[in-house]
Amino acid sequence: QKEVEQNSGPLSVPEGAIASLNCTYSDRGSQSFFWYRQYSGKSPELIMFIYSNGDKEDGRFTAQLNKASQYVSLLIRDSQPSDSATYLCAVYNTDKLIFGTGTRLQVFP
Amino acid sequence: DADVTQTPRNRITKTGKRIMLECSQTKGHDRMYWYRQDPGLGLRLIYYSFDVKDINKGEISDGYSVSRQAQAKFSLSLESAIPNQTALYFCATSGGNTGYEQYFGPGTRLTVT
């Protein structure tokens, strides 16, 4: 079992819709969780981090954490074509970030 | 100016050559990392350093070495490049709000022929 798992996608959503990206992790003791956005050929860019169970909102982005079920999700409201990218989930574990392989999101007009 | 810079941005080299990738940062962070990214495999950690005197191997350190010349500089060397080291290489730093989130450089696209 991979430590951090994401569906590779692509996840296709129409412009204006809500995109929901999910991530599960294997280490129940993990405490810190991150979402990165990566455009093709570019470097990962930090979008959000979350530590506590529940929701954390930042603009059009909402991160959700459920430690009991060991999953993290990212919701993107009012999706725009410019949101089309690969979204990486990362979990902090023993001095390192463990990254999932990412979910590719496609937002079509 | 970018907070984390990498040189070169693109490099083509031949099998057996030694090559160095350089990373510099102006964020004042203590922790620095080197990753490689391959299609379908995601980001894999090669080496990381928590300060000038601290170097640690990541999950795929074989065939690579690093040098932490200063708090702001962390270099990655391929002693004898081989074609399966063709990849996108990223440097990252951490030490921000939480101390755990990482900030990435623009990447170096390395091709070994």
Side-chain angles (χ1 to χ4, degrees):
Chain A
Q1 181 188 7
K2 293 182 180 178
E3 293 186 67
V4 179
E5 294 209 46
Q6 298 180 255
N7 188 315
S8 61
L11 172 65
S12 293
V13 300
E15 184 173 357
I18 296 175
S20 178
L21 304 160
N22 299 312
C23 170
T24 58
Y25 59 95
S26 60
D27 187 343
R28 186 170 289 277
S30 299
Q31 296 294 321
S32 307
F33 307 87
F34 304 84
W35 282 101
Y36 286 81
R37 177 176 63 199
Q38 185 176 25
Y39 293 110
S40 181
K42 304 297 185 181
S43 59
E45 172 192 10
L46 180 67
I47 299 175
M48 294 189 69
F49 56 84
I50 186 168
Y51 306 133
S52 304
N53 277 327
D55 296 359
K56 179 181 179 183
E57 187 174 318
D58 183 0
R60 295 187 296 113
F61 299 100
T62 299
Q64 299 176 318
L65 174 60
N66 183 322
K67 290 185 179 179
S69 299
Q70 295 177 241
Y71 82 78
V72 193
S73 61
L74 179 70
L75 302 179
I76 306 175
R77 290 182 300 281
D78 188 24
S79 295
Q80 300 298 309
S82 59
D83 294 324
S84 297
T86 296
Y87 290 80
L88 306 175
C89 172
V91 177
Y92 184 77
N93 188 330
T94 317
D95 296 333
K96 299 181 290 290
L97 283 187
I98 309 300
F99 287 86
T101 54
T103 298
R104 188 158 65 95
L105 173 66
Q106 294 177 335
V107 181
F108 56 91
Chain B
D1 288 342
D3 294 321
V4 184
T5 57
Q6 293 183 235
T7 56
R9 295 294 311 278
N10 288 282
R11 180 73 182 266
I12 300 173
T13 191
K14 293 185 183 298
T15 297
K17 294 291 187 182
R18 184 178 189 275
I19 183 170
M20 178 181 288
L21 309 183
E22 298 185 332
C23 176
S24 294
Q25 54 112 348
T26 58
K27 299 182 78 68
H29 291 169
D30 288 326
R31 301 182 177 198
M32 298 186 74
Y33 307 80
W34 275 104
Y35 293 90
R36 66 177 280 176
Q37 189 173 40
D38 302 272
L41 296 179
L43 284 163
R44 292 185 290 167
L45 184 62
I46 305 172
Y47 272 96
Y48 60 106
S49 169
F50 289 170
D51 64 40
V52 174
K53 297 181 180 180
D54 177 77
I55 303 289
N56 304 281
K57 292 182 177 181
E59 62 178 304
I60 55 162
S61 58
D62 287 349
Y64 301 95
S65 63
V66 291
S67 173
R68 184 81 184 266
Q69 300 95 324
Q71 185 208 31
K73 296 184 182 296
F74 192 35
S75 299
L76 175 72
S77 293
L78 286 66
E79 298 302 325
S80 178
I82 56 178
N84 77 0
Q85 291 178 313
T86 293
L88 190 53
Y89 289 84
F90 291 108
C91 173
T93 73
S94 70
N97 292 328
T98 68
Y100 304 141
E101 72 269 26
Q102 294 182 12
Y103 299 90
F104 286 79
T108 294
R109 185 168 296 282
L110 176 66
T111 302
V112 183
T113 61

mmCIF file with all atom_site columns, all heavy atoms in Angstrom, chain A residues 44-68:
data_model
loop_
_atom_site.group_PDB
_atom_site.id
_atom_site.type_symbol
_atom_site.label_atom_id
_atom_site.label_alt_id
_atom_site.label_comp_id
_atom_site.label_asym_id
_atom_site.label_entity_id
_atom_site.label_seq_id
_atom_site.pdbx_PDB_ins_code
_atom_site.Cartn_x
_atom_site.Cartn_y
_atom_site.Cartn_z
_atom_site.occupancy
_atom_site.B_iso_or_equiv
_atom_site.pdbx_formal_charge
_atom_site.auth_seq_id
_atom_site.auth_comp_id
_atom_site.auth_asym_id
_atom_site.auth_atom_id
_atom_site.pdbx_PDB_model_num
ATOM 1   N N   . PRO A 1 44 ? 5.877   22.399 -8.353 1.00 0.00 ? 44 PRO A N   1
ATOM 2   C CA  . PRO A 1 44 ? 4.703   22.396 -7.462 1.00 0.00 ? 44 PRO A CA  1
ATOM 3   C C   . PRO A 1 44 ? 4.609   23.700 -6.682 1.00 0.00 ? 44 PRO A C   1
ATOM 4   O O   . PRO A 1 44 ? 5.609   24.246 -6.231 1.00 0.00 ? 44 PRO A O   1
ATOM 5   C CB  . PRO A 1 44 ? 4.984   21.217 -6.524 1.00 0.00 ? 44 PRO A CB  1
ATOM 6   C CG  . PRO A 1 44 ? 5.941   20.342 -7.269 1.00 0.00 ? 44 PRO A CG  1
ATOM 7   C CD  . PRO A 1 44 ? 6.799   21.289 -8.054 1.00 0.00 ? 44 PRO A CD  1
ATOM 8   N N   . GLU A 1 45 ? 3.379   24.166 -6.523 1.00 0.00 ? 45 GLU A N   1
ATOM 9   C CA  . GLU A 1 45 ? 3.101   25.416 -5.828 1.00 0.00 ? 45 GLU A CA  1
ATOM 10  C C   . GLU A 1 45 ? 2.152   25.119 -4.678 1.00 0.00 ? 45 GLU A C   1
ATOM 11  O O   . GLU A 1 45 ? 1.085   24.517 -4.871 1.00 0.00 ? 45 GLU A O   1
ATOM 12  C CB  . GLU A 1 45 ? 2.454   26.402 -6.806 1.00 0.00 ? 45 GLU A CB  1
ATOM 13  C CG  . GLU A 1 45 ? 1.936   27.681 -6.184 1.00 0.00 ? 45 GLU A CG  1
ATOM 14  C CD  . GLU A 1 45 ? 1.065   28.458 -7.159 1.00 0.00 ? 45 GLU A CD  1
ATOM 15  O OE1 . GLU A 1 45 ? 0.724   27.932 -8.227 1.00 0.00 ? 45 GLU A OE1 1
ATOM 16  O OE2 . GLU A 1 45 ? 0.720   29.611 -6.840 1.00 0.00 ? 45 GLU A OE2 1
ATOM 17  N N   . LEU A 1 46 ? 2.516   25.532 -3.472 1.00 0.00 ? 46 LEU A N   1
ATOM 18  C CA  . LEU A 1 46 ? 1.679   25.266 -2.301 1.00 0.00 ? 46 LEU A CA  1
ATOM 19  C C   . LEU A 1 46 ? 0.369   26.043 -2.380 1.00 0.00 ? 46 LEU A C   1
ATOM 20  O O   . LEU A 1 46 ? 0.359   27.249 -2.602 1.00 0.00 ? 46 LEU A O   1
ATOM 21  C CB  . LEU A 1 46 ? 2.437   25.676 -1.039 1.00 0.00 ? 46 LEU A CB  1
ATOM 22  C CG  . LEU A 1 46 ? 1.710   25.455 0.281  1.00 0.00 ? 46 LEU A CG  1
ATOM 23  C CD1 . LEU A 1 46 ? 1.517   23.966 0.565  1.00 0.00 ? 46 LEU A CD1 1
ATOM 24  C CD2 . LEU A 1 46 ? 2.475   26.111 1.430  1.00 0.00 ? 46 LEU A CD2 1
ATOM 25  N N   . ILE A 1 47 ? -0.745  25.313 -2.204 1.00 0.00 ? 47 ILE A N   1
ATOM 26  C CA  . ILE A 1 47 ? -2.061  25.958 -2.182 1.00 0.00 ? 47 ILE A CA  1
ATOM 27  C C   . ILE A 1 47 ? -2.539  26.119 -0.751 1.00 0.00 ? 47 ILE A C   1
ATOM 28  O O   . ILE A 1 47 ? -2.961  27.202 -0.339 1.00 0.00 ? 47 ILE A O   1
ATOM 29  C CB  . ILE A 1 47 ? -3.097  25.109 -2.956 1.00 0.00 ? 47 ILE A CB  1
ATOM 30  C CG1 . ILE A 1 47 ? -2.704  24.950 -4.418 1.00 0.00 ? 47 ILE A CG1 1
ATOM 31  C CG2 . ILE A 1 47 ? -4.468  25.764 -2.867 1.00 0.00 ? 47 ILE A CG2 1
ATOM 32  C CD1 . ILE A 1 47 ? -3.642  24.015 -5.163 1.00 0.00 ? 47 ILE A CD1 1
ATOM 33  N N   . MET A 1 48 ? -2.517  25.012 0.008  1.00 0.00 ? 48 MET A N   1
ATOM 34  C CA  . MET A 1 48 ? -3.089  25.036 1.343  1.00 0.00 ? 48 MET A CA  1
ATOM 35  C C   . MET A 1 48 ? -2.418  23.996 2.218  1.00 0.00 ? 48 MET A C   1
ATOM 36  O O   . MET A 1 48 ? -1.880  23.013 1.721  1.00 0.00 ? 48 MET A O   1
ATOM 37  C CB  . MET A 1 48 ? -4.592  24.727 1.312  1.00 0.00 ? 48 MET A CB  1
ATOM 38  C CG  . MET A 1 48 ? -5.452  25.742 0.623  1.00 0.00 ? 48 MET A CG  1
ATOM 39  S SD  . MET A 1 48 ? -7.187  25.400 0.882  1.00 0.00 ? 48 MET A SD  1
ATOM 40  C CE  . MET A 1 48 ? -7.348  25.767 2.622  1.00 0.00 ? 48 MET A CE  1
ATOM 41  N N   . PHE A 1 49 ? -2.506  24.215 3.530  1.00 0.00 ? 49 PHE A N   1
ATOM 42  C CA  . PHE A 1 49 ? -2.146  23.174 4.473  1.00 0.00 ? 49 PHE A CA  1
ATOM 43  C C   . PHE A 1 49 ? -3.240  23.097 5.530  1.00 0.00 ? 49 PHE A C   1
ATOM 44  O O   . PHE A 1 49 ? -3.954  24.077 5.779  1.00 0.00 ? 49 PHE A O   1
ATOM 45  C CB  . PHE A 1 49 ? -0.775  23.413 5.100  1.00 0.00 ? 49 PHE A CB  1
ATOM 46  C CG  . PHE A 1 49 ? -0.620  24.745 5.776  1.00 0.00 ? 49 PHE A CG  1
ATOM 47  C CD1 . PHE A 1 49 ? -1.037  24.946 7.080  1.00 0.00 ? 49 PHE A CD1 1
ATOM 48  C CD2 . PHE A 1 49 ? -0.029  25.808 5.099  1.00 0.00 ? 49 PHE A CD2 1
ATOM 49  C CE1 . PHE A 1 49 ? -0.875  26.169 7.695  1.00 0.00 ? 49 PHE A CE1 1
ATOM 50  C CE2 . PHE A 1 49 ? 0.142   27.037 5.707  1.00 0.00 ? 49 PHE A CE2 1
ATOM 51  C CZ  . PHE A 1 49 ? -0.280  27.225 7.010  1.00 0.00 ? 49 PHE A CZ  1
ATOM 52  N N   . ILE A 1 50 ? -3.355  21.933 6.153  1.00 0.00 ? 50 ILE A N   1
ATOM 53  C CA  . ILE A 1 50 ? -4.392  21.719 7.148  1.00 0.00 ? 50 ILE A CA  1
ATOM 54  C C   . ILE A 1 50 ? -3.872  20.746 8.179  1.00 0.00 ? 50 ILE A C   1
ATOM 55  O O   . ILE A 1 50 ? -3.153  19.790 7.852  1.00 0.00 ? 50 ILE A O   1
ATOM 56  C CB  . ILE A 1 50 ? -5.707  21.218 6.496  1.00 0.00 ? 50 ILE A CB  1
ATOM 57  C CG1 . ILE A 1 50 ? -6.832  21.132 7.527  1.00 0.00 ? 50 ILE A CG1 1
ATOM 58  C CG2 . ILE A 1 50 ? -5.511  19.895 5.779  1.00 0.00 ? 50 ILE A CG2 1
ATOM 59  C CD1 . ILE A 1 50 ? -8.216  20.935 6.894  1.00 0.00 ? 50 ILE A CD1 1
ATOM 60  N N   . TYR A 1 51 ? -4.209  21.017 9.462  1.00 0.00 ? 51 TYR A N   1
ATOM 61  C CA  . TYR A 1 51 ? -3.754  20.156 10.549 1.00 0.00 ? 51 TYR A CA  1
ATOM 62  C C   . TYR A 1 51 ? -4.897  19.564 11.355 1.00 0.00 ? 51 TYR A C   1
ATOM 63  O O   . TYR A 1 51 ? -4.767  18.493 11.920 1.00 0.00 ? 51 TYR A O   1
ATOM 64  C CB  . TYR A 1 51 ? -2.867  20.931 11.531 1.00 0.00 ? 51 TYR A CB  1
ATOM 65  C CG  . TYR A 1 51 ? -1.726  21.633 10.890 1.00 0.00 ? 51 TYR A CG  1
ATOM 66  C CD1 . TYR A 1 51 ? -1.437  22.948 11.204 1.00 0.00 ? 51 TYR A CD1 1
ATOM 67  C CD2 . TYR A 1 51 ? -0.933  20.993 9.954  1.00 0.00 ? 51 TYR A CD2 1
ATOM 68  C CE1 . TYR A 1 51 ? -0.387  23.603 10.608 1.00 0.00 ? 51 TYR A CE1 1
ATOM 69  C CE2 . TYR A 1 51 ? 0.111   21.638 9.347  1.00 0.00 ? 51 TYR A CE2 1
ATOM 70  C CZ  . TYR A 1 51 ? 0.385   22.949 9.673  1.00 0.00 ? 51 TYR A CZ  1
ATOM 71  O OH  . TYR A 1 51 ? 1.415   23.604 9.076  1.00 0.00 ? 51 TYR A OH  1
ATOM 72  N N   . SER A 1 52 ? -5.990  20.301 11.422 1.00 0.00 ? 52 SER A N   1
ATOM 73  C CA  . SER A 1 52 ? -7.080  19.889 12.311 1.00 0.00 ? 52 SER A CA  1
ATOM 74  C C   . SER A 1 52 ? -8.216  19.287 11.510 1.00 0.00 ? 52 SER A C   1
ATOM 75  O O   . SER A 1 52 ? -8.472  19.683 10.366 1.00 0.00 ? 52 SER A O   1
ATOM 76  C CB  . SER A 1 52 ? -7.602  21.098 13.087 1.00 0.00 ? 52 SER A CB  1
ATOM 77  O OG  . SER A 1 52 ? -6.561  21.719 13.802 1.00 0.00 ? 52 SER A OG  1
ATOM 78  N N   . ASN A 1 53 ? -8.919  18.350 12.118 1.00 0.00 ? 53 ASN A N   1
ATOM 79  C CA  . ASN A 1 53 ? -10.112 17.782 11.496 1.00 0.00 ? 53 ASN A CA  1
ATOM 80  C C   . ASN A 1 53 ? -11.101 18.887 11.137 1.00 0.00 ? 53 ASN A C   1
ATOM 81  O O   . ASN A 1 53 ? -11.254 19.867 11.868 1.00 0.00 ? 53 ASN A O   1
ATOM 82  C CB  . ASN A 1 53 ? -10.800 16.794 12.440 1.00 0.00 ? 53 ASN A CB  1
ATOM 83  C CG  . ASN A 1 53 ? -10.170 15.423 12.380 1.00 0.00 ? 53 ASN A CG  1
ATOM 84  O OD1 . ASN A 1 53 ? -9.686  14.990 11.343 1.00 0.00 ? 53 ASN A OD1 1
ATOM 85  N ND2 . ASN A 1 53 ? -10.186 14.729 13.507 1.00 0.00 ? 53 ASN A ND2 1
ATOM 86  N N   . GLY A 1 54 ? -11.749 18.710 9.992  1.00 0.00 ? 54 GLY A N   1
ATOM 87  C CA  . GLY A 1 54 ? -12.740 19.688 9.590  1.00 0.00 ? 54 GLY A CA  1
ATOM 88  C C   . GLY A 1 54 ? -12.334 20.370 8.303  1.00 0.00 ? 54 GLY A C   1
ATOM 89  O O   . GLY A 1 54 ? -11.577 19.821 7.514  1.00 0.00 ? 54 GLY A O   1
ATOM 90  N N   . ASP A 1 55 ? -12.883 21.553 8.106  1.00 0.00 ? 55 ASP A N   1
ATOM 91  C CA  . ASP A 1 55 ? -12.673 22.296 6.876  1.00 0.00 ? 55 ASP A CA  1
ATOM 92  C C   . ASP A 1 55 ? -11.807 23.521 7.121  1.00 0.00 ? 55 ASP A C   1
ATOM 93  O O   . ASP A 1 55 ? -11.868 24.142 8.173  1.00 0.00 ? 55 ASP A O   1
ATOM 94  C CB  . ASP A 1 55 ? -14.016 22.759 6.304  1.00 0.00 ? 55 ASP A CB  1
ATOM 95  C CG  . ASP A 1 55 ? -14.899 21.603 5.888  1.00 0.00 ? 55 ASP A CG  1
ATOM 96  O OD1 . ASP A 1 55 ? -14.467 20.443 6.015  1.00 0.00 ? 55 ASP A OD1 1
ATOM 97  O OD2 . ASP A 1 55 ? -16.038 21.858 5.437  1.00 0.00 ? 55 ASP A OD2 1
ATOM 98  N N   . LYS A 1 56 ? -11.044 23.855 6.087  1.00 0.00 ? 56 LYS A N   1
ATOM 99  C CA  . LYS A 1 56 ? -10.282 25.107 6.095  1.00 0.00 ? 56 LYS A CA  1
ATOM 100 C C   . LYS A 1 56 ? -10.464 25.747 4.731  1.00 0.00 ? 56 LYS A C   1
ATOM 101 O O   . LYS A 1 56 ? -10.206 25.116 3.714  1.00 0.00 ? 56 LYS A O   1
ATOM 102 C CB  . LYS A 1 56 ? -8.793  24.819 6.361  1.00 0.00 ? 56 LYS A CB  1
ATOM 103 C CG  . LYS A 1 56 ? -7.931  26.077 6.354  1.00 0.00 ? 56 LYS A CG  1
ATOM 104 C CD  . LYS A 1 56 ? -6.475  25.726 6.592  1.00 0.00 ? 56 LYS A CD  1
ATOM 105 C CE  . LYS A 1 56 ? -5.606  26.977 6.556  1.00 0.00 ? 56 LYS A CE  1
ATOM 106 N NZ  . LYS A 1 56 ? -4.169  26.633 6.724  1.00 0.00 ? 56 LYS A NZ  1
ATOM 107 N N   . GLU A 1 57 ? -10.911 26.994 4.738  1.00 0.00 ? 57 GLU A N   1
ATOM 108 C CA  . GLU A 1 57 ? -11.243 27.673 3.492  1.00 0.00 ? 57 GLU A CA  1
ATOM 109 C C   . GLU A 1 57 ? -10.248 28.778 3.192  1.00 0.00 ? 57 GLU A C   1
ATOM 110 O O   . GLU A 1 57 ? -9.806  29.493 4.098  1.00 0.00 ? 57 GLU A O   1
ATOM 111 C CB  . GLU A 1 57 ? -12.656 28.257 3.592  1.00 0.00 ? 57 GLU A CB  1
ATOM 112 C CG  . GLU A 1 57 ? -13.191 28.843 2.311  1.00 0.00 ? 57 GLU A CG  1
ATOM 113 C CD  . GLU A 1 57 ? -14.650 29.255 2.454  1.00 0.00 ? 57 GLU A CD  1
ATOM 114 O OE1 . GLU A 1 57 ? -15.436 28.508 3.054  1.00 0.00 ? 57 GLU A OE1 1
ATOM 115 O OE2 . GLU A 1 57 ? -14.991 30.361 1.972  1.00 0.00 ? 57 GLU A OE2 1
ATOM 116 N N   . ASP A 1 58 ? -9.916  28.912 1.912  1.00 0.00 ? 58 ASP A N   1
ATOM 117 C CA  . ASP A 1 58 ? -9.059  30.013 1.467  1.00 0.00 ? 58 ASP A CA  1
ATOM 118 C C   . ASP A 1 58 ? -9.501  30.375 0.062  1.00 0.00 ? 58 ASP A C   1
ATOM 119 O O   . ASP A 1 58 ? -9.157  29.692 -0.893 1.00 0.00 ? 58 ASP A O   1
ATOM 120 C CB  . ASP A 1 58 ? -7.588  29.586 1.485  1.00 0.00 ? 58 ASP A CB  1
ATOM 121 C CG  . ASP A 1 58 ? -6.660  30.724 1.108  1.00 0.00 ? 58 ASP A CG  1
ATOM 122 O OD1 . ASP A 1 58 ? -7.138  31.851 0.825  1.00 0.00 ? 58 ASP A OD1 1
ATOM 123 O OD2 . ASP A 1 58 ? -5.428  30.509 1.081  1.00 0.00 ? 58 ASP A OD2 1
ATOM 124 N N   . GLY A 1 59 ? -10.300 31.432 -0.033 1.00 0.00 ? 59 GLY A N   1
ATOM 125 C CA  . GLY A 1 59 ? -10.812 31.836 -1.333 1.00 0.00 ? 59 GLY A CA  1
ATOM 126 C C   . GLY A 1 59 ? -11.701 30.766 -1.930 1.00 0.00 ? 59 GLY A C   1
ATOM 127 O O   . GLY A 1 59 ? -12.648 30.303 -1.289 1.00 0.00 ? 59 GLY A O   1
ATOM 128 N N   . ARG A 1 60 ? -11.395 30.330 -3.140 1.00 0.00 ? 60 ARG A N   1
ATOM 129 C CA  . ARG A 1 60 ? -12.207 29.297 -3.793 1.00 0.00 ? 60 ARG A CA  1
ATOM 130 C C   . ARG A 1 60 ? -11.826 27.877 -3.359 1.00 0.00 ? 60 ARG A C   1
ATOM 131 O O   . ARG A 1 60 ? -12.463 26.918 -3.791 1.00 0.00 ? 60 ARG A O   1
ATOM 132 C CB  . ARG A 1 60 ? -12.054 29.411 -5.319 1.00 0.00 ? 60 ARG A CB  1
ATOM 133 C CG  . ARG A 1 60 ? -12.590 30.697 -5.914 1.00 0.00 ? 60 ARG A CG  1
ATOM 134 C CD  . ARG A 1 60 ? -12.561 30.672 -7.434 1.00 0.00 ? 60 ARG A CD  1
ATOM 135 N NE  . ARG A 1 60 ? -11.219 30.579 -7.982 1.00 0.00 ? 60 ARG A NE  1
ATOM 136 C CZ  . ARG A 1 60 ? -10.750 29.518 -8.648 1.00 0.00 ? 60 ARG A CZ  1
ATOM 137 N NH1 . ARG A 1 60 ? -11.522 28.460 -8.856 1.00 0.00 ? 60 ARG A NH1 1
ATOM 138 N NH2 . ARG A 1 60 ? -9.517  29.537 -9.124 1.00 0.00 ? 60 ARG A NH2 1
ATOM 139 N N   . PHE A 1 61 ? -10.807 27.761 -2.546 1.00 0.00 ? 61 PHE A N   1
ATOM 140 C CA  . PHE A 1 61 ? -10.306 26.448 -2.130 1.00 0.00 ? 61 PHE A CA  1
ATOM 141 C C   . PHE A 1 61 ? -10.754 26.110 -0.705 1.00 0.00 ? 61 PHE A C   1
ATOM 142 O O   . PHE A 1 61 ? -10.724 26.964 0.181  1.00 0.00 ? 61 PHE A O   1
ATOM 143 C CB  . PHE A 1 61 ? -8.774  26.425 -2.181 1.00 0.00 ? 61 PHE A CB  1
ATOM 144 C CG  . PHE A 1 61 ? -8.201  26.659 -3.548 1.00 0.00 ? 61 PHE A CG  1
ATOM 145 C CD1 . PHE A 1 61 ? -7.728  27.905 -3.905 1.00 0.00 ? 61 PHE A CD1 1
ATOM 146 C CD2 . PHE A 1 61 ? -8.135  25.628 -4.469 1.00 0.00 ? 61 PHE A CD2 1
ATOM 147 C CE1 . PHE A 1 61 ? -7.193  28.131 -5.169 1.00 0.00 ? 61 PHE A CE1 1
ATOM 148 C CE2 . PHE A 1 61 ? -7.601  25.836 -5.729 1.00 0.00 ? 61 PHE A CE2 1
ATOM 149 C CZ  . PHE A 1 61 ? -7.125  27.081 -6.088 1.00 0.00 ? 61 PHE A CZ  1
ATOM 150 N N   . THR A 1 62 ? -11.152 24.864 -0.523 1.00 0.00 ? 62 THR A N   1
ATOM 151 C CA  . THR A 1 62 ? -11.450 24.346 0.811  1.00 0.00 ? 62 THR A CA  1
ATOM 152 C C   . THR A 1 62 ? -10.749 23.008 0.978  1.00 0.00 ? 62 THR A C   1
ATOM 153 O O   . THR A 1 62 ? -10.930 22.114 0.153  1.00 0.00 ? 62 THR A O   1
ATOM 154 C CB  . THR A 1 62 ? -12.960 24.149 1.020  1.00 0.00 ? 62 THR A CB  1
ATOM 155 O OG1 . THR A 1 62 ? -13.626 25.405 0.899  1.00 0.00 ? 62 THR A OG1 1
ATOM 156 C CG2 . THR A 1 62 ? -13.240 23.571 2.403  1.00 0.00 ? 62 THR A CG2 1
ATOM 157 N N   . ALA A 1 63 ? -9.952  22.904 2.020  1.00 0.00 ? 63 ALA A N   1
ATOM 158 C CA  . ALA A 1 63 ? -9.335  21.627 2.369  1.00 0.00 ? 63 ALA A CA  1
ATOM 159 C C   . ALA A 1 63 ? -10.159 20.994 3.471  1.00 0.00 ? 63 ALA A C   1
ATOM 160 O O   . ALA A 1 63 ? -10.634 21.683 4.384  1.00 0.00 ? 63 ALA A O   1
ATOM 161 C CB  . ALA A 1 63 ? -7.895  21.834 2.823  1.00 0.00 ? 63 ALA A CB  1
ATOM 162 N N   . GLN A 1 64 ? -10.331 19.682 3.374  1.00 0.00 ? 64 GLN A N   1
ATOM 163 C CA  . GLN A 1 64 ? -11.085 18.947 4.380  1.00 0.00 ? 64 GLN A CA  1
ATOM 164 C C   . GLN A 1 64 ? -10.226 17.812 4.895  1.00 0.00 ? 64 GLN A C   1
ATOM 165 O O   . GLN A 1 64 ? -9.594  17.104 4.102  1.00 0.00 ? 64 GLN A O   1
ATOM 166 C CB  . GLN A 1 64 ? -12.373 18.390 3.767  1.00 0.00 ? 64 GLN A CB  1
ATOM 167 C CG  . GLN A 1 64 ? -13.318 19.461 3.231  1.00 0.00 ? 64 GLN A CG  1
ATOM 168 C CD  . GLN A 1 64 ? -14.529 18.852 2.551  1.00 0.00 ? 64 GLN A CD  1
ATOM 169 O OE1 . GLN A 1 64 ? -14.418 17.883 1.809  1.00 0.00 ? 64 GLN A OE1 1
ATOM 170 N NE2 . GLN A 1 64 ? -15.696 19.450 2.791  1.00 0.00 ? 64 GLN A NE2 1
ATOM 171 N N   . LEU A 1 65 ? -10.222 17.639 6.195  1.00 0.00 ? 65 LEU A N   1
ATOM 172 C CA  . LEU A 1 65 ? -9.404  16.591 6.810  1.00 0.00 ? 65 LEU A CA  1
ATOM 173 C C   . LEU A 1 65 ? -10.269 15.730 7.713  1.00 0.00 ? 65 LEU A C   1
ATOM 174 O O   . LEU A 1 65 ? -11.018 16.252 8.543  1.00 0.00 ? 65 LEU A O   1
ATOM 175 C CB  . LEU A 1 65 ? -8.262  17.213 7.612  1.00 0.00 ? 65 LEU A CB  1
ATOM 176 C CG  . LEU A 1 65 ? -7.396  16.271 8.432  1.00 0.00 ? 65 LEU A CG  1
ATOM 177 C CD1 . LEU A 1 65 ? -6.705  15.229 7.559  1.00 0.00 ? 65 LEU A CD1 1
ATOM 178 C CD2 . LEU A 1 65 ? -6.362  17.063 9.246  1.00 0.00 ? 65 LEU A CD2 1
ATOM 179 N N   . ASN A 1 66 ? -10.135 14.424 7.554  1.00 0.00 ? 66 ASN A N   1
ATOM 180 C CA  . ASN A 1 66 ? -10.812 13.467 8.418  1.00 0.00 ? 66 ASN A CA  1
ATOM 181 C C   . ASN A 1 66 ? -9.760  12.448 8.861  1.00 0.00 ? 66 ASN A C   1
ATOM 182 O O   . ASN A 1 66 ? -9.438  11.512 8.138  1.00 0.00 ? 66 ASN A O   1
ATOM 183 C CB  . ASN A 1 66 ? -11.952 12.784 7.671  1.00 0.00 ? 66 ASN A CB  1
ATOM 184 C CG  . ASN A 1 66 ? -12.739 11.838 8.560  1.00 0.00 ? 66 ASN A CG  1
ATOM 185 O OD1 . ASN A 1 66 ? -12.186 11.145 9.414  1.00 0.00 ? 66 ASN A OD1 1
ATOM 186 N ND2 . ASN A 1 66 ? -14.048 11.805 8.373  1.00 0.00 ? 66 ASN A ND2 1
ATOM 187 N N   . LYS A 1 67 ? -9.212  12.653 10.047 1.00 0.00 ? 67 LYS A N   1
ATOM 188 C CA  . LYS A 1 67 ? -8.129  11.791 10.516 1.00 0.00 ? 67 LYS A CA  1
ATOM 189 C C   . LYS A 1 67 ? -8.625  10.386 10.839 1.00 0.00 ? 67 LYS A C   1
ATOM 190 O O   . LYS A 1 67 ? -7.895  9.417  10.670 1.00 0.00 ? 67 LYS A O   1
ATOM 191 C CB  . LYS A 1 67 ? -7.450  12.416 11.734 1.00 0.00 ? 67 LYS A CB  1
ATOM 192 C CG  . LYS A 1 67 ? -6.648  13.666 11.407 1.00 0.00 ? 67 LYS A CG  1
ATOM 193 C CD  . LYS A 1 67 ? -5.901  14.174 12.621 1.00 0.00 ? 67 LYS A CD  1
ATOM 194 C CE  . LYS A 1 67 ? -5.087  15.406 12.280 1.00 0.00 ? 67 LYS A CE  1
ATOM 195 N NZ  . LYS A 1 67 ? -4.356  15.929 13.476 1.00 0.00 ? 67 LYS A NZ  1
ATOM 196 N N   . ALA A 1 68 ? -9.845  10.257 11.306 1.00 0.00 ? 68 ALA A N   1
ATOM 197 C CA  . ALA A 1 68 ? -10.366 8.926  11.640 1.00 0.00 ? 68 ALA A CA  1
ATOM 198 C C   . ALA A 1 68 ? -10.437 8.046  10.396 1.00 0.00 ? 68 ALA A C   1
ATOM 199 O O   . ALA A 1 68 ? -10.150 6.850  10.449 1.00 0.00 ? 68 ALA A O   1
ATOM 200 C CB  . ALA A 1 68 ? -11.749 9.052  12.285 1.00 0.00 ? 68 ALA A CB  1
#
